[in-house]
Each structure stands twice: as C-alpha cells, then as structure tokens.
Amino acid sequence: MLSAQERVHIAQVWDLIAGHEAPFGAELLLRLFTAYPSTKTYFTHLGDSPDQARLLSHGRRLLEAVGVAVQHVDNLRAALSPLADLHAHVLRVDPTNFPLLIQCFQVVLASHLQGEFTVEMQAAWDKFLMGVAVVLTEKYR
Ligand code: ZNH
C-alpha cells in the first residue's frame, strides 16, 4: 500500500517520463544488459548488441506498461494480469531479474532528473516497482 505522499512522488516523476517512454526505456535496457549481461539471454532475438531501433521499441513497450501501472496503483493485480501470465508462463523470466531491472530503472531516473529526484521519490519508486515485480512474478509455480 502506498501512502498519499508516495503516490504524489510516483505521479510527479511519471509526469517527467510520460511522452519519453522509448528513450527512457531504451536506456534502461542498455544499462540492464551492460551491468547484468546474463539478462541478455532472454533477448537473444535482439542480437548480441541490439540496435537502437529494437531497444527503443522494446523500451517503449516496457515503460508504457509501467505507465499503465502508475494509472492503476490500487489495482496492479488486475491491470497487469495479462503481463503476469506472459512473464510466468510464456517468457519464464527468472524472478531474480526483476530487482536488477528495478535497480537500473532508478539509475536512469537519477541520471536524468538529478537533484529533482529526491530521496523520498527514490524510496517511493522502489516500493512501487517492487509492487509491480511482485505482481509480475506471482503466477510462477
Ligand atoms: Zn518484460 C516483454 C514489461 C521485467 C523479459 N515485458 C515485455 C512486454 C512488456 C514487459 C510490456 C511486452 C509484452 C507484449 O509485447 O505483449 N517486463 C515488463 C515490466 C517489467 C518487466 C513492466 C518490470 C517492471 N521482462 C522483465 C525482466 C525481464 C523481462 C526483468 C528479463 C530480464 N519481457 C522480457 C522478454 C520479453 C518481455 C524477454 C519479450 C520481448 C519480445 O517479445 O521482444
């Protein structure tokens, strides 16, 4: 459960990302693949050094899904249900990868927003993204 103040932090940061999903998402993936090369094994179809167009297009889809989550903070389970099925049953992404993505997400935010990205905003985003990850990984068995 997010507090009223945490919701404000989520919304404020999302306002700065909205409309720039592709470049933010591409940078997120590039950081993920570079810092944690094992994550690339899930994206073999993107190639060894994925070209910018592919990074942009997958990055946009990923961040658009985060945008959907932002609009449904109180109802993540329902809003992300099809995506949870996809990750658990089709992609079978090891849940240990989610904290790695969340880590890179926060670095992307910090590097772009700099001083605007306050300690409280980071804490709220960490909690929110962990909530998204819980939903995306809970259909595994
Ligand atoms: Zn994921 C896909 C989101 C995490 C891997 N994804 C995807 C999509 C989306 C997402 C939206 C698309 C879908 C469709 O198309 O329908 N993810 C997401 C999110 C997250 C994630 C939101 C967190 C937060 N993923 C993840 C991880 C991994 C992954 C961690 C590993 C590492 N995904 C993936 C893959 C795919 C996806 C492999 C597929 C791709 C293609 O198809 O191209």
Side-chain angles (χ1 to χ4, degrees):
M1 249 322 212
L2 295 166
S3 72
Q5 191 55 53
E6 285 166 338
R7 284 155 204 264
V8 171
H9 290 317
I10 302 295
Q12 279 174 336
V13 170
W14 186 256
D15 278 349
L16 301 167
I17 300 173
H20 311 280
E21 285 86 351
F24 276 91
E27 185 184 331
L28 167 61
L29 291 170
L30 187 63
R31 286 184 182 276
L32 181 69
F33 298 156
T34 307
Y36 308 106
S38 65
T39 58
K40 274 197 292 195
T41 57
Y42 293 102
F43 295 89
T44 44
H45 55 296
L46 292 187
D48 233 11
S49 28
D51 61 60
Q52 192 65 10
R54 282 163 163 214
L55 280 182
L56 286 166
S57 104
H58 184 62
R60 178 178 46 73
R61 279 186 292 161
L62 198 149
L63 278 232
E64 282 173 355
V66 174
V68 168
V70 170
Q71 308 311 322
H72 297 87
V73 278
D74 291 315
N75 210 358
L76 287 182
R77 197 152 280 129
L80 301 178
S81 177
L83 210 48
D85 284 323
L86 181 76
H87 284 79
H89 304 312
V90 180
L91 301 172
R92 305 203 62 82
V93 172
D94 187 319
T96 58
N97 288 289
F98 284 78
L100 307 179
L101 186 145
I102 290 170
Q103 161 84 9
C104 292
F105 198 113
Q106 291 175 25
V107 174
V108 172
L109 292 178
S111 83
H112 286 270
L113 308 180
Q114 303 211 358
E116 274 183 279
F117 190 53
T118 63
V119 174
E120 292 77 15
M121 282 176 178
Q122 185 193 350
W125 270 82
D126 190 64
K127 185 171 173 185
F128 165 66
L129 290 171
M130 288 302 285
V132 170
V134 165
V135 169
L136 291 187
T137 56
E138 71 189 357
K139 295 196 186 187
Y140 286 71
R141 51 175 146 147

